[in-house]
């Protein structure tokens, strides 16, 4: 048995830093038993709304995402290449921005759980779509041909062989979409749907009861973790299936006439409603707001705050991810690998949960330090707390990209470098970092975009006067100042389009159809699934 | 005085004992080849010497320094042991020049440039200094890997199956070239291979390894002519193992009488190399040609002897016998054989 070296310890420290607050959440039930009693009405409401969201968004994204994936994977029609990628664009549209659009256009019946279900389905179906499409394209022609040789029609073969083979991927996508829906705060809050995230916000801000907030967060986490577990289980099998499938890609059926027109028009209309129309409307409102001086006076500082927070996180979070991933590689112990995995559980957890989880240990430290040396509220009263929350929440995102990059570097290069007199830090600086450039850039971009969009944690932890673009959108929208909300929302969507565009370009350059889909799948994975 | 000494080195991975109690000495400037089938622990042995693995027992001495032993472990970057990897492990983001200069970080810029150039000249790649590894052929990559390992003037160069990734047609030429380069650099080198031809033609001395053990060490001729065991005889080259009755310096076998290297008596087995047999066309011969492997300068015949056994015979390709022909097989005039287990 080898002694744990410095790298292993470093990994463990990082992991503790990130995971400890989350592990502490359930302790709130011990610390303040019955803390929820005062808010007992919140729990049934939240459970009811959560159930509606799970069922509605689950079936909505399942049908929409799988249907569209079937269409582009097994059918060929003029413009298919465009449709394939256009369908990914809704990834760039945060729920609360689409809500702003829907509220501003006064869509009837939108202020309801059903309205929330519709919005989530429209902006979250790409998760199912991407994973299902990757799974369909990875299927071997041989299997489907075998089914047809056994007397099944083409359609029956797809239904009885193609779909079941892709089931793990599809379910994985649905679980992801559901996790996003449960984590959302902006949409449900603006629509007046009483979910857990909304309850946490109200308990926190209106009653200022941290214990109750932590207990609500614990309840929400248990739902999310169950989904995460389901997703992992589904994905485990998905890998197996994809490896088992070899052979040619399934040749698509050529559509013609009305069906070809329909295959082109329906997806384009969908993307038009989810992305193009809101962007056009936001642009129009933005122009109006600028012309009529409706822009909130804090707009400039919110934009600056957003960019600063996002940029600094985009440096900080990948840096920690590199330390963590490198610790696992250099330390080489199974313990370090386990620690790293623990450190990435923050992802997939709602921002409000993370905020509630980090505030308690930070608050405790603050009081200690203040009592000792009079530092004031150094951690909770400044952006430090916010950065901590971003680190906990987005570390997995950066870790996935960084670790993928690191794994592609053969260990022989480490050995070669060390044999040439380089110690471990040298190897990192002279071999790994230069080779990981792409992975690091990806990590930085992803974190940047996510921090720009992030609403609930920022809302709960921002220091006084530290509004961001996302908060500006939410605030103006909740006061029905749609024109005021438009410009910040417009900017958030534009930034959000960056990684989506990068993904499309990346896979376009690689050329081959299958590879493109796999890249997209891997990307979707890197983008959202890297937890645990 | 030997430059590198291994004493009782052992290493296990879980229940697998990869390297068992290995002793080996390498003289300064010598090229030693470790020859063994895949999975015999030879790569692990290299990694133990380089410092990528820690031995569970025994010690490794490089120069005057104990680099691994009880209570002592020098990390690889401090050992001054160069390694050429099977797939070369060139840094893909660096040019040829920068790859070679990688291990020279401690030198001043001008020293580094001069030494890099000198080493590239040694391997004949000075004109490709600014290329990247992916722009080179397999053989060129190999020479860069060698140059990179040699540039810091290590006390020992380790080569892990250095030719296995190359086309057969390139191998022989490169082998010669590597031998010359190592000689010019006056490097002490340990090469690991499963290719007996490579080991025999390249090494000053040969260590045959089996299941973690070194079963025989010697100069190539010795290992070939006087195998220590039936297994070693069969692994290093082709062999016929014949049963016979020894009477002092001769042994009577079903193929005839052979001289013995050392006197013996009673029932024995001897290793007879295919080139220690002769055959002539003969309608009433004692064997039939079953297969013929034409190898240019010589031919390997597979015969069925009238006693039922298969016999391998190697002859110069001057006169060919057809498959199916009756032949008479007998000991060659100069054949001296060795007893095996």
């Amino acid at each position: 048995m080898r002694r744990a070296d410095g790298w292993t310890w470093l990994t463990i420290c990082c992991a503790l830093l990130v995971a400890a607050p989350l592990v502490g959440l359930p302790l709130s039930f011990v610390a303040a038993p019955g803390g929820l009693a005062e808010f007992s009405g919140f729990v049934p409401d939240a459970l009811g709304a959560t159930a509606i969201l799970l069922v509605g968004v689950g079936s909505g994204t399942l049908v929409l995402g799988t249907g569209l994936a079937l269409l582009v994977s097994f059918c060929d029609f003029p413009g298919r290449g465009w449709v394939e990628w256009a369908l990914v664009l809704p990834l760039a549209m945060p729920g609360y921005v689409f809500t702003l659009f829907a509220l501003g256009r006064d869509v009837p019946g939108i202020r309801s759980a059903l309205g929330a279900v519709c919005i989530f389905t429209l902006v979250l179906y790409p998760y199912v779509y991407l994973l299902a499409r990757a799974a369909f394209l990875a299927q071997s022609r041989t299997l489907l041909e075998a089914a047809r040789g056994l007397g099944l029609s083409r359609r029956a073969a797809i239904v009885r062989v193609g779909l079941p083979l892709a089931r793990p991927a599809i379910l994985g996508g649905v679980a992801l979409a559901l996790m996003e829906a449960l984590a959302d705060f902006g949409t449900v809050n603006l629509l007046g749907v009483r979910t857990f995230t909304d309850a946490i916000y109200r308990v926190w801000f209106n009653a200022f009861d941290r214990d109750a907030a932590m207990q609500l967060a614990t309840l929400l986490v248990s739902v999310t973790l169950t989904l995460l577990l389901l997703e992992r289980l589904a994905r485990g099998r998905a890998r197996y299936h994809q490896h088992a499938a070899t052979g040619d890609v399934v040749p698509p059926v050529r559509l013609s006439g009305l069906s070809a027109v329909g295959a082109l028009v329906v997806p384009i209309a969908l993307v038009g409603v989810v992305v193009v129309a809101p962007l056009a409307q936001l642009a129009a409102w933005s122009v109006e707001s600028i012309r009529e001086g409706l822009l909130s006076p804090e707009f400039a500082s919110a934009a600056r705050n957003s960019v600063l927070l996002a940029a600094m996180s985009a440096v900080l979070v990948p840096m920690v991810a590199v330390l963590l991933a490198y610790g696992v590689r250099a330390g080489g112990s199974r313990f370090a690998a386990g620690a790293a995995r623990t450190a990435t559980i923050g992802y997939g957890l709602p921002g409000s949960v993370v905020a509630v989880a980090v505030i308690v240990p930070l608050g405790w430290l603050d009081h200690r330090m203040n009592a000792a040396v009079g530092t004031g509220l150094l951690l909770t009263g400044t952006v430090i707390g916010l950065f901590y929350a971003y680190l906990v929440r987005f570390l997995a995102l950066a870790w996935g990209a960084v670790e993928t990059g690191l794994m592609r570097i053969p260990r022989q290069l480490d050995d070669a470098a060390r044999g040439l007199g380089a110690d471990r830090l040298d190897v990192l600086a002279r071999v790994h970092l230069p080779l990981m450039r792409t992975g690091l850039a990806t990590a930085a971009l992803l974190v940047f975009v996510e921090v720009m969009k992030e609403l609930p944690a920022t809302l709960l932890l921002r220091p006084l006067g530290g509004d961001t673009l996302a908060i500006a959108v939410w605030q103006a929208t909740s006061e029905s100042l749609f024109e005021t909300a438009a410009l910040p929302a417009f900017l958030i969507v534009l930034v959000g389009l960056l990684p989506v565009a990068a993904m499309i370009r990346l896979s376009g350059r690689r050329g081959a159809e299958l590879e493109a889909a796999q890249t997209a799948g891997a990307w979707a994975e890197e983008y959202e699934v890297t937890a645990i | 005085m030997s430059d590198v000494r291994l004493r009782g080195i052992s290493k296990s991975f879980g229940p697998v004992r990869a390297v068992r109690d290995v002793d080996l000495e390498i003289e300064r400037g010598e090229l030693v080849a470790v020859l063994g089938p895949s999975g015999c622990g030879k790569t692990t042995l290299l990694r133990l010497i380089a410092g990528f693995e820690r031995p569970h027992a025994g010690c490794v001495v490089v120069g005057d320094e104990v680099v691994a032993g009880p209570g002592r472990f020098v990390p690889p970057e401090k050992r001054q042991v160069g390694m050429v990897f099977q797939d070369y492990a060139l840094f893909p983001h660096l040019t040829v020049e920068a790859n070679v200069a990688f291990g020279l970080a401690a030198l001043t810029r001008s020293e580094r440039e001069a030494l890099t150039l000198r080493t590239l000249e040694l391997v004949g790649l000075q004109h490709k200094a600014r290329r990247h590894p992916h722009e080179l052929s397999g053989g060129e990559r190999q020479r860069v890997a060698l140059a990179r390992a040699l540039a810091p003037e290590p006390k020992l160069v380790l080569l892990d199956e250095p030719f296995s990734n190359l086309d057969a047609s390139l191998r022989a030429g490169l082998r010669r070239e590597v031998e010359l380069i190592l000689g010019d650099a006056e490097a002490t080198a340990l090469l690991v291979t499963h290719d007996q031809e490579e080991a025999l033609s390249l090494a000053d001395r040969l260590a045959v390894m089996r299941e973690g053990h070194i079963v025989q060490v010697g100069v190539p001729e010795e290992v070939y002519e006087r195998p220590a065991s039936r297994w070693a005889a069969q692994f290093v080259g082709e062999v016929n193992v014949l049963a016979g009755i020894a009477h002092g310096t001769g042994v009577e076998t079903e193929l005839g009488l052979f001289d013995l290297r050392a006197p013996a008596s009673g029932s024995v087995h001897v290793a007879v190399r295919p080139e220690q047999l002769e055959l002539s066309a003969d309608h009433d011969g004692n064997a039939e040609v079953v297969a013929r492997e034409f190898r240019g300068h010589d031919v390997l015949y597979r015969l069925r002897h009238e006693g039922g056994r298969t016999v391998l015979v190697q002859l110069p390709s001057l006169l060919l016998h057809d498959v199916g022909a009756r032949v008479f097989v007998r000991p060659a005039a100069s054949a001296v054989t060795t007893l095996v287990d």
Side-chain angles (χ1 to χ4, degrees):
Chain A
M1 185 62 204
R2 263 171 64 184
R3 225 158 24 87
D5 62 5
W7 284 103
T8 307
W9 285 115
L10 185 71
T11 313
I12 292 167
C13 287
C14 281
L16 273 182
L17 183 72
V18 174
L22 300 170
V23 178
L25 271 185
L27 295 180
S28 59
F29 281 103
V30 184
L36 261 182
E38 224 179 299
F39 308 98
S40 54
F42 285 20
V43 175
D45 276 0
L47 282 176
T50 302
I52 295 176
L53 284 187
L54 286 180
V55 173
V57 178
S59 43
T61 53
L62 174 71
V63 171
L64 194 59
T66 312
L68 292 168
L70 280 171
L71 178 73
V72 299
S73 307
F74 293 115
C75 303
D76 192 12
F77 46 90
R80 175 169 81 139
W82 287 95
V83 167
E84 269 182 308
W85 292 113
L87 284 171
V88 182
L89 291 177
L91 271 184
M93 179 65 62
Y96 60 84
V97 172
F98 191 77
T99 309
L100 152 66
F101 166 70
L103 287 173
R105 295 297 304 230
D106 228 353
V107 177
I110 196 73
R111 284 178 196 273
S112 64
L114 199 63
V117 165
C118 289
I119 290 178
F120 284 135
T121 301
L122 289 177
V123 299
L124 297 178
Y125 79 84
Y127 291 117
V128 183
Y129 166 75
L130 273 174
L131 290 176
R133 177 169 170 275
F136 288 143
L137 290 184
Q139 277 172 12
S140 86
R141 169 199 283 200
T142 341
L143 279 176
L144 285 188
E145 281 176 352
R148 299 198 63 189
L150 293 168
L152 264 59
S153 71
R154 206 189 142 76
R155 181 167 308 186
I158 290 174
V159 171
R160 288 184 50 192
V161 178
L163 273 179
L165 278 177
R167 193 173 54 199
I170 294 172
L171 290 183
V174 171
L176 282 180
L178 290 178
M179 272 158 52
E180 286 290 315
L182 289 185
D184 174 274
F185 164 74
T187 307
V188 291
N189 174 272
L190 292 173
L191 295 179
V193 182
R194 302 291 189 217
T195 62
F196 277 110
T197 51
D198 187 58
I200 291 170
Y201 173 75
R202 282 181 295 145
V203 166
W204 182 286
F205 266 115
N206 302 348
F208 217 74
D209 187 333
R210 283 185 178 170
D211 286 317
M214 282 180 82
Q215 289 169 11
L216 284 169
T218 312
L219 293 179
L220 176 51
V221 163
S222 33
V223 179
T224 312
L225 282 183
T226 311
L227 284 173
L228 204 64
L229 197 67
L230 287 179
E231 192 269 340
R232 284 289 130 174
L233 286 175
R235 182 174 299 276
R237 278 180 290 149
R239 286 220 180 89
Y240 170 76
H241 280 297
Q242 295 199 357
H243 281 294
T246 50
D248 295 333
V249 189
V250 183
V253 175
R254 183 126 201 120
L255 300 181
S256 58
L258 262 187
S259 51
V261 174
L264 183 63
V265 168
V266 172
I268 295 292
L270 177 69
V271 177
V273 168
V274 184
V275 181
V276 182
L279 267 182
Q281 180 67 78
L282 291 176
W285 281 337
S286 301
V287 171
E288 216 168 298
S289 71
I290 293 167
R291 203 180 290 152
E292 296 176 18
L294 293 173
L295 211 56
S296 107
E298 292 85 25
F299 170 74
S301 74
R304 198 197 58 217
N305 287 344
S306 272
V307 171
L308 275 180
L309 279 175
M312 287 171 71
S313 309
V315 175
L316 172 82
V317 179
M319 225 163 68
V320 176
V322 166
L323 287 182
L324 200 62
Y326 197 65
V328 174
R329 187 184 180 97
S333 72
R334 222 174 283 167
F335 196 55
R341 212 174 299 158
T342 320
T344 55
I345 59 171
Y347 206 74
L349 292 187
S352 17
V353 170
V354 172
V356 171
V358 302
I359 195 82
V360 173
L362 286 187
W364 180 81
L365 263 181
D366 256 354
H367 286 294
R368 283 300 169 95
M369 291 199 310
N370 194 27
V373 280
T375 45
L377 296 182
L378 182 66
L379 302 175
T380 47
T382 65
V383 286
I384 293 179
L386 204 46
F387 279 128
Y388 188 21
Y390 290 155
L391 180 66
V392 173
R393 174 128 161 83
F394 299 126
L395 181 60
L397 199 58
W399 193 73
V402 165
E403 206 229 3
T404 317
L406 200 55
M407 277 204 318
R408 288 202 195 105
I409 303 175
R411 270 175 189 281
Q412 298 237 316
L413 291 188
D414 301 29
D415 288 347
R418 297 197 69 197
L420 292 166
D423 63 23
R424 286 216 163 111
L425 267 179
D426 275 342
V427 179
L428 177 62
R430 294 174 66 193
V431 179
H432 291 159
L433 286 183
L435 285 172
M436 280 197 298
R437 271 181 319 223
T438 323
L440 281 175
T442 310
L445 178 65
L446 291 177
V447 172
F448 185 89
V449 170
E450 286 299 318
V451 171
M452 284 290 274
K453 292 202 280 195
E454 214 289 331
L455 179 57
T458 317
L459 190 60
L460 294 178
L461 291 175
R462 80 204 136 124
L464 283 176
D467 285 356
T468 63
L469 289 178
I471 291 180
V473 173
W474 171 77
Q475 227 152 28
T477 309
S478 57
E479 290 162 23
S480 298
L481 302 172
F482 306 121
E483 284 89 351
T484 309
L487 186 58
F490 187 74
L491 293 178
I492 289 174
V493 178
L494 280 194
V495 172
L497 280 170
L498 285 179
V500 179
M503 165 170 84
I504 293 171
R505 235 197 69 195
L506 207 68
S507 28
R509 206 171 42 204
R510 300 257 170 94
E513 185 64 16
L514 177 64
E515 204 177 332
Q518 280 167 345
T519 314
W523 236 80
E525 205 172 318
E526 243 167 59
Y527 193 58
E528 293 290 344
V529 198
T530 24
I532 291 196
Chain B
M1 152 89 199
S2 35
D3 217 28
V4 177
R5 267 173 297 154
L6 311 183
R7 286 264 181 278
I9 293 288
S10 294
K11 172 75 181 175
S12 305
F13 297 104
V16 182
R17 297 177 65 194
V19 170
R20 291 192 252 176
D21 200 20
V22 164
D23 292 311
L24 188 65
E25 302 201 348
I26 307 171
E27 305 292 326
R28 177 155 305 167
E30 192 182 28
L31 171 56
V32 172
V34 174
L35 174 66
S38 39
C40 74
K42 54 194 193 298
T43 295
T44 305
L45 188 65
L46 273 200
R47 295 178 59 80
L48 285 164
I49 300 170
F52 302 132
E53 307 283 352
R54 283 167 192 257
H56 288 133
C59 65
V60 180
V61 182
V62 176
D64 321 317
E65 192 188 8
V66 178
V67 293
R72 183 158 171 80
F73 183 77
V74 178
E77 62 266 27
K78 301 257 192 293
R79 288 196 180 187
Q80 291 180 271
V81 171
M83 182 139 172
V84 177
F85 291 85
Q86 188 169 2
D87 53 9
Y88 318 136
L90 297 178
F91 302 119
H93 60 301
L94 299 178
T95 59
V96 165
E97 204 171 33
N99 262 287
V100 174
F102 193 96
L104 307 175
L107 304 182
T108 66
R109 193 190 165 89
S110 58
E111 283 174 327
R112 189 162 62 227
E113 280 168 3
L115 187 50
T116 303
L117 184 64
R118 194 142 32 97
T119 317
L120 279 176
E121 278 167 0
L122 181 70
V123 299
L125 281 176
Q126 62 276 28
H127 58 294
K128 304 246 164 144
R130 314 244 164 212
R131 302 283 182 88
H132 276 86
H134 65 91
E135 297 169 302
L136 302 180
S137 71
E140 287 168 342
R141 278 179 217 179
Q142 223 249 347
R143 283 185 283 161
V144 176
L146 189 60
R148 187 179 66 177
L150 289 174
E153 292 169 356
K155 294 178 185 162
L156 172 68
V157 182
L158 303 170
L159 301 108
D160 185 7
E161 303 267 5
F163 306 102
S164 64
N165 273 341
L166 296 172
D167 289 345
S169 56
L170 277 174
R171 251 181 242 173
L174 255 160
R175 224 184 265 159
R176 233 9 86 216
E177 213 168 307
V178 166
E179 194 183 4
L180 289 173
I181 293 168
L182 288 173
D184 282 353
E186 294 171 3
T188 307
L190 182 66
L191 172 140
V192 145
T193 180
H194 66 273
D195 182 335
Q196 35 114 349
E197 198 186 319
E198 188 172 303
L200 288 171
S201 65
L202 204 52
D204 296 323
R205 275 192 312 136
L206 204 60
V208 184
M209 196 163 173
R210 183 193 188 190
E211 290 169 4
H213 270 307
I214 289 191
V215 295
Q216 190 174 10
V217 185
V219 296
E221 303 87 296
E222 181 186 329
V223 172
Y224 186 76
E225 284 169 9
R226 273 171 278 168
S229 65
R230 181 190 290 236
W231 184 87
Q234 283 166 340
F235 187 71
V236 184
E238 317 265 12
V239 74
N240 299 295
V241 176
L242 305 177
I245 308 292
H247 316 279
T249 58
V251 58
E252 184 64 46
T253 71
E254 55 185 329
L255 296 184
L257 184 67
F258 289 90
D259 285 341
L260 268 177
R261 208 171 295 282
S265 62
S267 175
V268 295
H269 283 95
V270 288
V272 177
R273 296 289 180 189
E275 64 273 17
Q276 293 180 314
L277 294 170
E278 277 181 356
L279 47 90
S280 50
D282 187 341
H283 288 296
D284 308 316
N286 58 1
E288 182 188 332
V289 176
V290 178
R292 185 174 87 184
E293 193 182 318
F294 183 69
R295 304 199 283 206
H297 45 80
D298 56 43
V299 190
L300 183 71
Y301 292 100
R302 190 173 293 270
L303 311 179
R304 184 176 306 281
H305 187 254
E306 58 192 3
R309 61 165 299 132
T310 300
V311 179
L312 297 173
V313 180
Q314 183 180 316
L315 292 173
S317 53
L318 300 171
L319 180 70
L320 295 180
H321 300 277
D322 290 327
V323 171
R326 288 304 290 184
V327 291
F328 192 81
V329 56
R330 63 181 163 276
S334 59
V336 181
T337 63
T338 305
L339 292 180
V340 293
D341 49 314

